[in-house]
Structure formats: structure tokens, C-alpha cells
Amino acid sequence: MAKKNNNQTVGFTPTVEQEADNAAMVVVEPEPETRSPFILGNTKEIGLTELGDMLTPVFSRDNVETISHTEAISTVMDAVSTYFDGQEINAPVVRVSHEMKLRNRFGAGKLVENLNPEDSDSYYQRAMAMIEIPSISHDINGSICHLQVCLVRNYADCNLLGNSSQKQTFKLAIGFLNTVCTNGMVCTDGVNLAIKVTNTADFYKYCIELFKQYNYKQHLDDMRRLNDTVVTVSTLAQFLGRARMATALPTSMKNELGLPEFTLPEAQLNNMIRDYYTDENFGGFGREITAWQFYMLLTNYKNNYIDVTLERSCNAYQCAKGVASAINKDDDAWSWFIE
């Protein structure tokens, strides 16, 4: 294991419609967090300095360092600052989980009960960073939403017993953050769940490519259109029942029915229905709701683990769009869920 601190620089031009008056990129330290965290699970918030002071895992066969969490976050920040040059960019907010503790030379040979804090070091297996761009914001059905970029890194996706020639996996997403409830909203063209690289230079290129392919105007239009679709109480109840059934269906039956992928856990559905009756911003309180409210209720679950949160956010978006299309008879791919 090795320790490392990293600082990187910035530059480039945005392709979004909002242009800042000041041509220089502005990185803003966020105010103390008063909103709910963007993810909970079993995570904790950590500063970049503290994260950078921790161990960096190495490949055991050739003792070469992996790309550390701080290097990955700095690379994404570099790409964001470059592509969205001139915009106000908040410093990354980072949450981590699954601390892996290792003994150092001072702890060698000691019994577990005799170990002191200075006898061990550690690193976090999983990290998720959210970079908010508040100068690019839109009102979506009464909610102010800021552009955001999210990075997910899980060392469990990497074979640390191998050598440094293998590619390391990262997940990256760009979308909008609903500042009312800190719900992240990502779509399929704004997500890459399998970025595989051996160095930060290649990772930087993947970041820029993802930003270029993301059609934020289409994403905004799709989310606004959800507000034009009504989800009745009976339709919502039917969806909740069918969604639970879908997780239990044999694969052969799913294929026979031609069901789309649905990966949201029952805990997320339970949270959705509780919020339907209690959430002040998007709850229906026993009455019909819009498909936009349906989407917000579906994504208000914060207890997904770091390694699955982007996948489930994407699936929630596909589900909300699919259910709305089925209600409007535009597409029957999700019709089984509300029949």
C-alpha cells in the first residue's frame, strides 16, 4: 500500500446554452450541507484531504499503485472544469464506505485486542463523488435542478492480486440534481457504467466523451413531459403489485413476456409508497399524481449502496418514462406493470 496526495489543473469550452459572464472557471467550496445527503447506505462523508492521506492499494504482483480515489476524483474534476469552462462548479462532495484496515509495521505480531490506532492504516473500498454545477440550472415542474456529475469507484471490481496491466473500472454519470430533495436524475445517454482504464489520461478522455454525448436538452424535455401524464391511484397500486411480482418471475417467464429490465429492490418500493402518503414535495396523500411525482418518489430512496446507486437511478428513470408511455399508449414495453 502507498500514500498519495494529488492536485490537478483545469481548462476547455462548454456546449450548453448557459454561458457565464466571467470567462474563468470558478470552483466554489460548498456551504455546510443543510440538505439531505445524495446517498446514505452505510456511507460517511469525507474530505479530499483526509481521503488523500489514506492508503492507496497496489497490485500485489508488481507492487504498482492503483488509481487512487483522490486521483480519480481530481481527474473528473479536471474534465468537468475543462468542458464546462466559465461555469460555477462546486467542490466535490465525497462519501465512502467499506473501510479496509491493514496493519503497518508497528502492529506486526500484536494480538487484535492489543492494537493501537497507530498500529494500522486503512483505505475505503468504495467511494462516490458528486460535483454540482449550480450555474447550469433549470426549473423542472417547480423544482430547481442543478447539473451534476457523479463518479463511483469500487476496488472490489479490481483484482488487486494481479498486476498493473489489468484495467480498472469506474462508473460515471451526468444529469440533474433536484435541490429540493437531492434526488439524482440520470438517463441512459448520460451514464457509463463500465469505464475501464489503466491510467488517468485515458479516464479523462472517457469523461469528456460522456459529457459530449449527453443530450441535456432531451433529458430536460423528457422530465418535463412526465408532468403531463397522470398516474391514478389504481395504476400506482397495480404498478407496486406487479413490480414485486416481477422480481420473483423466473427468467424464462420474463423472456416470454418480453419484460424490460427492472432492478429496483422491494425496500425502494416500500420507501416510495411511504413517501406517497407523507412527502410534502411529491406525495399524493391518497390522490392521483403525475408521472413526474412518480419518478421523484421512486428516486427518493437514499439507502442503495454506492456500487449499485447509478444503475438503480438509471432503472428508475427508464421505469418512470416507460410507465408514462404505457399510460399514454405510446409504447407498450412497460404495459405489463400497469395492466
Side-chain angles (χ1 to χ4, degrees):
M1 298 294 167
K3 292 192 176 183
K4 183 179 292 185
N5 285 307
N6 300 282
N7 291 300
Q8 295 191 344
T9 54
V10 293
F12 203 76
T13 52
T15 57
V16 294
E17 61 184 7
Q18 298 89 349
E19 294 289 346
D21 293 332
N22 183 354
M25 179 275 300
V26 180
V27 177
V28 179
E29 288 292 337
E31 296 293 327
E33 190 66 68
T34 56
R35 303 176 302 193
S36 62
F38 61 93
I39 185 175
L40 289 173
N42 64 341
T43 67
K44 75 168 191 175
E45 187 169 352
I46 191 170
L48 284 177
T49 300
E50 181 183 352
L51 186 62
D53 287 339
M54 302 186 77
L55 294 175
T56 297
V58 300
F59 294 106
S60 61
R61 288 192 179 178
D62 52 16
N63 203 34
V64 174
E65 292 182 12
T66 61
I67 299 171
S68 69
H69 290 324
T70 50
E71 278 185 305
I73 294 168
S74 294
T75 300
V76 175
M77 189 65 181
D78 188 5
V80 169
S81 302
T82 296
Y83 193 76
F84 297 102
D85 182 33
Q87 301 296 332
E88 179 185 338
I89 302 169
N90 284 354
V93 179
V94 185
R95 297 189 73 85
V96 292
S97 70
H98 295 72
E99 185 176 9
M100 313 299 286
K101 295 185 177 181
L102 302 170
R103 297 188 186 203
N104 56 31
R105 61 189 179 88
F106 302 109
K110 289 187 177 181
L111 296 175
V112 173
E113 57 268 26
N114 296 331
L115 288 175
N116 298 314
E118 61 271 17
D119 296 331
S120 64
D121 288 309
S122 64
Y123 68 93
Y124 286 99
Q125 185 187 70
R126 304 175 191 182
M128 184 173 182
M130 189 268 284
I131 301 169
E132 197 171 339
I133 310 174
S135 60
I136 302 178
S137 62
H138 292 268
D139 184 316
I140 304 176
N141 304 320
S143 299
I144 300 301
C145 301
H146 295 166
L147 192 65
Q148 66 161 353
V149 174
C150 284
L151 166 70
V152 168
R153 195 329 168 51
N154 182 5
Y155 273 119
D157 295 330
C158 184
N159 178 19
L160 296 177
L161 298 178
N163 56 44
S164 58
S165 62
Q166 67 175 293
K167 293 186 176 181
Q168 302 171 52
T169 302
F170 299 87
K171 300 175 184 179
L172 189 69
I174 181 171
F176 282 87
L177 177 77
N178 191 334
T179 58
V180 171
C181 53
T182 65
N183 287 3
M185 296 167 281
V186 296
C187 60
T188 51
D189 68 346
V191 175
N192 189 335
L193 300 175
I195 297 176
K196 297 181 181 294
V197 294
T198 58
N199 57 75
T200 56
D202 288 342
F203 184 40
Y204 176 90
K205 293 176 184 177
Y206 274 101
C207 295
I208 296 296
E209 288 174 6
L210 181 66
F211 300 159
K212 286 180 179 179
Q213 78 179 33
Y214 172 59
N215 189 338
Y216 84 99
K217 291 183 178 179
Q218 183 63 52
H219 190 194
L220 288 170
D221 289 343
D222 288 345
M223 289 190 292
R224 289 190 179 109
R225 278 198 294 269
L226 292 176
N227 204 45
D228 299 328
T229 299
V230 173
V231 180
T232 64
V233 178
S234 60
T235 299
L236 178 61
Q238 184 73 4
F239 167 79
L240 290 168
R242 289 280 186 157
R244 288 182 169 88
M245 291 173 62
T247 60
L249 287 178
T251 301
S252 58
M253 189 173 293
K254 290 181 182 179
N255 294 336
E256 183 181 341
L257 292 170
L259 296 185
E261 183 181 29
F262 184 77
T263 61
L264 305 185
E266 186 168 351
Q268 190 159 345
L269 297 175
N270 292 339
N271 188 84
M272 175 189 187
I273 197 60
R274 282 194 298 269
D275 286 349
Y276 167 75
Y277 285 108
T278 61
D279 188 87
E280 295 181 357
N281 297 304
F282 305 106
F285 304 99
R287 298 182 294 273
E288 66 183 25
I289 57 176
T290 66
W292 166 254
Q293 290 172 280
F294 176 90
Y295 178 37
M296 288 295 98
L297 293 173
L298 201 59
T299 56
N300 203 30
Y301 184 67
K302 299 293 192 302
N303 283 313
N304 285 320
Y305 283 163
I306 284 175
D307 58 319
V308 296
T309 186
L310 289 184
E311 290 91 330
R312 289 177 178 172
S313 291
C314 263
N315 196 229
Y317 177 70
Q318 293 167 336
C319 176
K321 278 188 63 179
V323 167
S325 295
I327 291 172
N328 295 324
K329 309 297 183 184
D330 295 331
D331 190 330
D332 62 357
W334 287 80
S335 60
W336 180 86
F337 284 83
I338 61 170
E339 288 175 346

